[in-house]
Amino acid sequence: LVTYVLARILGPADAPLRRRRWGRAIVGGYVVVVAALFVFFWPVYTAQVIPYDHWHMRMWFPSWV
């Protein structure tokens, strides 16, 4: 589903250049944010031992604790 939505945002290959540039910027920004969040949560995903403050910083919602 995410891939489909990103492809729709990117636009067809024959779309005007301005449309494609905006699409690339939005899709690229989304991919950068997802990658950054993956790196940020990596210690939690891999069950690494981290200081409590770092762990608590990654618990964004009270239900996650």
Side-chain angles (χ1 to χ4, degrees), residues 39 41-51 55 58:
V39 169
F41 281 104
W42 180 255
V44 176
Y45 299 151
T46 58
Q48 294 179 14
V49 177
I50 57 176
W55 175 80
R58 288 166 171 84

Side-chain angles (χ1 to χ4, degrees), residues 1-53:
L1 180 65
V2 173
T3 306
Y4 174 75
V5 171
L6 291 177
R8 296 290 293 178
I9 291 171
L10 186 58
D14 61 348
L17 184 58
R18 184 173 183 204
R19 165 79 165 87
R20 292 286 291 182
R21 282 186 182 157
W22 273 104
R24 272 190 240 131
I26 293 169
V27 169
Y30 175 80
V31 170
V32 167
V33 168
V34 168
L37 284 172
F38 183 80
V39 169
F40 178 73
F41 281 104
W42 180 255
V44 176
Y45 299 151
T46 58
Q48 294 179 14
V49 177
I50 57 176
Y52 178 76
D53 291 338

